PDB file of all heavy atoms in Angstrom:
ATOM      1  N   MET A  92      -1.741 -11.583  -0.610  1.00 98.00           N
ATOM      2  CA  MET A  92      -2.523 -10.594  -1.343  1.00 98.00           C
ATOM      3  C   MET A  92      -2.826  -9.399  -0.455  1.00 98.00           C
ATOM      4  O   MET A  92      -3.120  -9.543   0.733  1.00 98.00           O
ATOM      5  CB  MET A  92      -3.821 -11.218  -1.866  1.00 98.00           C
ATOM      6  CG  MET A  92      -4.568 -10.342  -2.864  1.00 98.00           C
ATOM      7  SD  MET A  92      -6.015 -11.177  -3.609  1.00 98.00           S
ATOM      8  CE  MET A  92      -5.195 -12.345  -4.713  1.00 98.00           C
ATOM      9  N   VAL A  93      -2.730  -8.209  -1.050  1.00 98.00           N
ATOM     10  CA  VAL A  93      -3.087  -6.958  -0.376  1.00 98.00           C
ATOM     11  C   VAL A  93      -4.088  -6.230  -1.264  1.00 98.00           C
ATOM     12  O   VAL A  93      -3.837  -6.034  -2.459  1.00 98.00           O
ATOM     13  CB  VAL A  93      -1.849  -6.060  -0.148  1.00 98.00           C
ATOM     14  CG1 VAL A  93      -2.269  -4.700   0.401  1.00 98.00           C
ATOM     15  CG2 VAL A  93      -0.868  -6.736   0.810  1.00 98.00           C
ATOM     16  N   GLY A  94      -5.214  -5.843  -0.692  1.00 98.00           N
ATOM     17  CA  GLY A  94      -6.232  -5.130  -1.458  1.00 98.00           C
ATOM     18  C   GLY A  94      -6.564  -3.808  -0.814  1.00 98.00           C
ATOM     19  O   GLY A  94      -6.887  -3.750   0.382  1.00 98.00           O
ATOM     20  N   PHE A  95      -6.461  -2.742  -1.606  1.00 97.00           N
ATOM     21  CA  PHE A  95      -6.757  -1.403  -1.103  1.00 97.00           C
ATOM     22  C   PHE A  95      -8.109  -0.949  -1.629  1.00 97.00           C
ATOM     23  O   PHE A  95      -8.339  -0.912  -2.842  1.00 97.00           O
ATOM     24  CB  PHE A  95      -5.659  -0.429  -1.538  1.00 97.00           C
ATOM     25  CG  PHE A  95      -5.989   1.015  -1.270  1.00 97.00           C
ATOM     26  CD1 PHE A  95      -6.200   1.461   0.018  1.00 97.00           C
ATOM     27  CD2 PHE A  95      -6.104   1.925  -2.308  1.00 97.00           C
ATOM     28  CE1 PHE A  95      -6.519   2.785   0.279  1.00 97.00           C
ATOM     29  CE2 PHE A  95      -6.424   3.255  -2.062  1.00 97.00           C
ATOM     30  CZ  PHE A  95      -6.631   3.686  -0.766  1.00 97.00           C
ATOM     31  N   SER A  96      -9.035  -0.622  -0.714  1.00 97.00           N
ATOM     32  CA  SER A  96     -10.349  -0.102  -1.064  1.00 97.00           C
ATOM     33  C   SER A  96     -11.044  -1.060  -2.031  1.00 97.00           C
ATOM     34  O   SER A  96     -11.263  -2.219  -1.701  1.00 97.00           O
ATOM     35  CB  SER A  96     -10.207   1.304  -1.651  1.00 97.00           C
ATOM     36  OG  SER A  96     -11.455   1.955  -1.741  1.00 97.00           O
ATOM     37  N   ARG A  97     -11.368  -0.623  -3.231  1.00 96.00           N
ATOM     38  CA  ARG A  97     -11.998  -1.505  -4.218  1.00 96.00           C
ATOM     39  C   ARG A  97     -11.174  -2.773  -4.437  1.00 96.00           C
ATOM     40  O   ARG A  97     -11.719  -3.844  -4.721  1.00 96.00           O
ATOM     41  CB  ARG A  97     -12.173  -0.738  -5.524  1.00 96.00           C
ATOM     42  CG  ARG A  97     -12.561  -1.575  -6.748  1.00 96.00           C
ATOM     43  CD  ARG A  97     -11.343  -2.027  -7.536  1.00 96.00           C
ATOM     44  NE  ARG A  97     -11.675  -2.824  -8.699  1.00 96.00           N
ATOM     45  CZ  ARG A  97     -11.985  -2.334  -9.876  1.00 96.00           C
ATOM     46  NH1 ARG A  97     -12.027  -1.017 -10.046  1.00 96.00           N
ATOM     47  NH2 ARG A  97     -12.248  -3.121 -10.892  1.00 96.00           N
ATOM     48  N   GLY A  98      -9.861  -2.662  -4.312  1.00 97.00           N
ATOM     49  CA  GLY A  98      -8.997  -3.831  -4.486  1.00 97.00           C
ATOM     50  C   GLY A  98      -9.269  -4.913  -3.465  1.00 97.00           C
ATOM     51  O   GLY A  98      -8.992  -6.094  -3.716  1.00 97.00           O
ATOM     52  N   ALA A  99      -9.793  -4.533  -2.309  1.00 98.00           N
ATOM     53  CA  ALA A  99     -10.173  -5.529  -1.310  1.00 98.00           C
ATOM     54  C   ALA A  99     -11.367  -6.332  -1.804  1.00 98.00           C
ATOM     55  O   ALA A  99     -11.419  -7.559  -1.644  1.00 98.00           O
ATOM     56  CB  ALA A  99     -10.509  -4.844   0.012  1.00 98.00           C
ATOM     57  N   MET A 100     -12.319  -5.632  -2.415  1.00 98.00           N
ATOM     58  CA  MET A 100     -13.470  -6.321  -3.014  1.00 98.00           C
ATOM     59  C   MET A 100     -13.000  -7.307  -4.081  1.00 98.00           C
ATOM     60  O   MET A 100     -13.442  -8.463  -4.123  1.00 98.00           O
ATOM     61  CB  MET A 100     -14.427  -5.301  -3.631  1.00 98.00           C
ATOM     62  CG  MET A 100     -15.591  -5.909  -4.390  1.00 98.00           C
ATOM     63  SD  MET A 100     -16.500  -4.696  -5.384  1.00 98.00           S
ATOM     64  CE  MET A 100     -15.277  -4.302  -6.658  1.00 98.00           C
ATOM     65  N   SER A 101     -12.081  -6.848  -4.942  1.00 97.00           N
ATOM     66  CA  SER A 101     -11.542  -7.716  -5.987  1.00 97.00           C
ATOM     67  C   SER A 101     -10.858  -8.935  -5.374  1.00 97.00           C
ATOM     68  O   SER A 101     -10.984 -10.057  -5.886  1.00 97.00           O
ATOM     69  CB  SER A 101     -10.541  -6.940  -6.845  1.00 97.00           C
ATOM     70  OG  SER A 101     -11.140  -5.806  -7.444  1.00 97.00           O
ATOM     71  N   ALA A 102     -10.143  -8.721  -4.280  1.00 98.00           N
ATOM     72  CA  ALA A 102      -9.453  -9.818  -3.607  1.00 98.00           C
ATOM     73  C   ALA A 102     -10.446 -10.839  -3.078  1.00 98.00           C
ATOM     74  O   ALA A 102     -10.304 -12.051  -3.306  1.00 98.00           O
ATOM     75  CB  ALA A 102      -8.601  -9.277  -2.469  1.00 98.00           C
ATOM     76  N   PHE A 103     -11.457 -10.365  -2.375  1.00 98.00           N
ATOM     77  CA  PHE A 103     -12.434 -11.284  -1.799  1.00 98.00           C
ATOM     78  C   PHE A 103     -13.117 -12.120  -2.879  1.00 98.00           C
ATOM     79  O   PHE A 103     -13.273 -13.336  -2.729  1.00 98.00           O
ATOM     80  CB  PHE A 103     -13.484 -10.502  -0.996  1.00 98.00           C
ATOM     81  CG  PHE A 103     -13.012 -10.023   0.343  1.00 98.00           C
ATOM     82  CD1 PHE A 103     -13.165  -8.692   0.714  1.00 98.00           C
ATOM     83  CD2 PHE A 103     -12.435 -10.892   1.250  1.00 98.00           C
ATOM     84  CE1 PHE A 103     -12.741  -8.234   1.952  1.00 98.00           C
ATOM     85  CE2 PHE A 103     -12.005 -10.455   2.500  1.00 98.00           C
ATOM     86  CZ  PHE A 103     -12.165  -9.128   2.847  1.00 98.00           C
ATOM     87  N   ILE A 104     -13.515 -11.486  -3.974  1.00 98.00           N
ATOM     88  CA  ILE A 104     -14.203 -12.226  -5.038  1.00 98.00           C
ATOM     89  C   ILE A 104     -13.259 -13.258  -5.659  1.00 98.00           C
ATOM     90  O   ILE A 104     -13.656 -14.395  -5.935  1.00 98.00           O
ATOM     91  CB  ILE A 104     -14.741 -11.261  -6.111  1.00 98.00           C
ATOM     92  CG1 ILE A 104     -15.771 -10.302  -5.510  1.00 98.00           C
ATOM     93  CG2 ILE A 104     -15.387 -12.050  -7.251  1.00 98.00           C
ATOM     94  CD1 ILE A 104     -16.231  -9.206  -6.451  1.00 98.00           C
ATOM     95  N   SER A 105     -11.999 -12.871  -5.866  1.00 98.00           N
ATOM     96  CA  SER A 105     -11.037 -13.789  -6.486  1.00 98.00           C
ATOM     97  C   SER A 105     -10.811 -15.023  -5.620  1.00 98.00           C
ATOM     98  O   SER A 105     -10.529 -16.113  -6.122  1.00 98.00           O
ATOM     99  CB  SER A 105      -9.706 -13.080  -6.749  1.00 98.00           C
ATOM    100  OG  SER A 105      -8.980 -12.862  -5.553  1.00 98.00           O
ATOM    101  N   LEU A 106     -10.950 -14.858  -4.307  1.00 97.00           N
ATOM    102  CA  LEU A 106     -10.675 -15.964  -3.387  1.00 97.00           C
ATOM    103  C   LEU A 106     -11.734 -17.065  -3.440  1.00 97.00           C
ATOM    104  O   LEU A 106     -11.552 -18.127  -2.841  1.00 97.00           O
ATOM    105  CB  LEU A 106     -10.521 -15.433  -1.963  1.00 97.00           C
ATOM    106  CG  LEU A 106      -9.199 -14.683  -1.740  1.00 97.00           C
ATOM    107  CD1 LEU A 106      -9.241 -13.870  -0.476  1.00 97.00           C
ATOM    108  CD2 LEU A 106      -8.034 -15.665  -1.721  1.00 97.00           C
ATOM    109  N   LYS A 107     -12.808 -16.814  -4.153  1.00 96.00           N
ATOM    110  CA  LYS A 107     -13.769 -17.889  -4.395  1.00 96.00           C
ATOM    111  C   LYS A 107     -13.155 -18.962  -5.289  1.00 96.00           C
ATOM    112  O   LYS A 107     -13.584 -20.108  -5.280  1.00 96.00           O
ATOM    113  CB  LYS A 107     -15.034 -17.335  -5.061  1.00 96.00           C
ATOM    114  CG  LYS A 107     -15.908 -16.480  -4.168  1.00 96.00           C
ATOM    115  CD  LYS A 107     -17.160 -16.065  -4.926  1.00 96.00           C
ATOM    116  CE  LYS A 107     -18.128 -15.281  -4.058  1.00 96.00           C
ATOM    117  NZ  LYS A 107     -19.384 -14.951  -4.766  1.00 96.00           N
ATOM    118  N   GLU A 108     -12.144 -18.551  -6.075  1.00 95.00           N
ATOM    119  CA  GLU A 108     -11.524 -19.475  -7.028  1.00 95.00           C
ATOM    120  C   GLU A 108     -10.060 -19.779  -6.709  1.00 95.00           C
ATOM    121  O   GLU A 108      -9.444 -20.589  -7.397  1.00 95.00           O
ATOM    122  CB  GLU A 108     -11.626 -18.907  -8.449  1.00 95.00           C
ATOM    123  CG  GLU A 108     -13.048 -18.726  -8.936  1.00 95.00           C
ATOM    124  CD  GLU A 108     -13.104 -18.338 -10.400  1.00 95.00           C
ATOM    125  OE1 GLU A 108     -12.266 -18.801 -11.189  1.00 95.00           O
ATOM    126  OE2 GLU A 108     -13.999 -17.541 -10.743  1.00 95.00           O
ATOM    127  N   LEU A 109      -9.517 -19.125  -5.706  1.00 96.00           N
ATOM    128  CA  LEU A 109      -8.109 -19.322  -5.373  1.00 96.00           C
ATOM    129  C   LEU A 109      -7.980 -20.024  -4.023  1.00 96.00           C
ATOM    130  O   LEU A 109      -8.635 -19.643  -3.061  1.00 96.00           O
ATOM    131  CB  LEU A 109      -7.378 -17.979  -5.322  1.00 96.00           C
ATOM    132  CG  LEU A 109      -7.309 -17.177  -6.623  1.00 96.00           C
ATOM    133  CD1 LEU A 109      -6.769 -15.771  -6.350  1.00 96.00           C
ATOM    134  CD2 LEU A 109      -6.420 -17.892  -7.652  1.00 96.00           C
ATOM    135  N   SER A 110      -7.096 -21.003  -3.971  1.00 92.00           N
ATOM    136  CA  SER A 110      -6.894 -21.726  -2.713  1.00 92.00           C
ATOM    137  C   SER A 110      -5.441 -21.683  -2.259  1.00 92.00           C
ATOM    138  O   SER A 110      -5.091 -22.317  -1.262  1.00 92.00           O
ATOM    139  CB  SER A 110      -7.333 -23.188  -2.879  1.00 92.00           C
ATOM    140  OG  SER A 110      -6.592 -23.814  -3.920  1.00 92.00           O
ATOM    141  N   ASN A 111      -4.612 -20.931  -2.988  1.00 95.00           N
ATOM    142  CA  ASN A 111      -3.175 -20.934  -2.681  1.00 95.00           C
ATOM    143  C   ASN A 111      -2.672 -19.607  -2.128  1.00 95.00           C
ATOM    144  O   ASN A 111      -1.474 -19.330  -2.164  1.00 95.00           O
ATOM    145  CB  ASN A 111      -2.374 -21.303  -3.933  1.00 95.00           C
ATOM    146  CG  ASN A 111      -2.588 -20.322  -5.082  1.00 95.00           C
ATOM    147  OD1 ASN A 111      -3.620 -19.665  -5.153  1.00 95.00           O
ATOM    148  ND2 ASN A 111      -1.622 -20.241  -5.985  1.00 95.00           N
ATOM    149  N   ILE A 112      -3.574 -18.770  -1.601  1.00 97.00           N
ATOM    150  CA  ILE A 112      -3.170 -17.500  -1.016  1.00 97.00           C
ATOM    151  C   ILE A 112      -2.851 -17.729   0.458  1.00 97.00           C
ATOM    152  O   ILE A 112      -3.662 -18.273   1.211  1.00 97.00           O
ATOM    153  CB  ILE A 112      -4.261 -16.425  -1.173  1.00 97.00           C
ATOM    154  CG1 ILE A 112      -4.603 -16.237  -2.655  1.00 97.00           C
ATOM    155  CG2 ILE A 112      -3.809 -15.110  -0.555  1.00 97.00           C
ATOM    156  CD1 ILE A 112      -3.443 -15.806  -3.513  1.00 97.00           C
ATOM    157  N   LYS A 113      -1.653 -17.306   0.857  1.00 97.00           N
ATOM    158  CA  LYS A 113      -1.168 -17.576   2.217  1.00 97.00           C
ATOM    159  C   LYS A 113      -1.764 -16.616   3.241  1.00 97.00           C
ATOM    160  O   LYS A 113      -2.020 -16.986   4.389  1.00 97.00           O
ATOM    161  CB  LYS A 113       0.354 -17.473   2.233  1.00 97.00           C
ATOM    162  CG  LYS A 113       1.012 -18.011   3.480  1.00 97.00           C
ATOM    163  CD  LYS A 113       0.981 -19.519   3.520  1.00 97.00           C
ATOM    164  CE  LYS A 113       1.821 -20.060   4.666  1.00 97.00           C
ATOM    165  NZ  LYS A 113       1.779 -21.527   4.739  1.00 97.00           N
ATOM    166  N   SER A 114      -1.953 -15.349   2.853  1.00 97.00           N
ATOM    167  CA  SER A 114      -2.549 -14.364   3.756  1.00 97.00           C
ATOM    168  C   SER A 114      -3.184 -13.259   2.935  1.00 97.00           C
ATOM    169  O   SER A 114      -2.812 -13.026   1.779  1.00 97.00           O
ATOM    170  CB  SER A 114      -1.506 -13.772   4.711  1.00 97.00           C
ATOM    171  OG  SER A 114      -0.674 -12.829   4.034  1.00 97.00           O
TER     172      SER A 114
END
Side-chain angles (χ1 to χ4, degrees):
M92 191 174 287
V93 173
F95 170 62
S96 192
R97 168 267 180 85
M100 175 192 69
S101 301
F103 284 129
I104 298 173
S105 73
L106 287 165
K107 289 183 176 184
E108 298 187 35
L109 297 170
S110 59
N111 60 335
I112 303 300
K113 193 73 172 179
S114 76

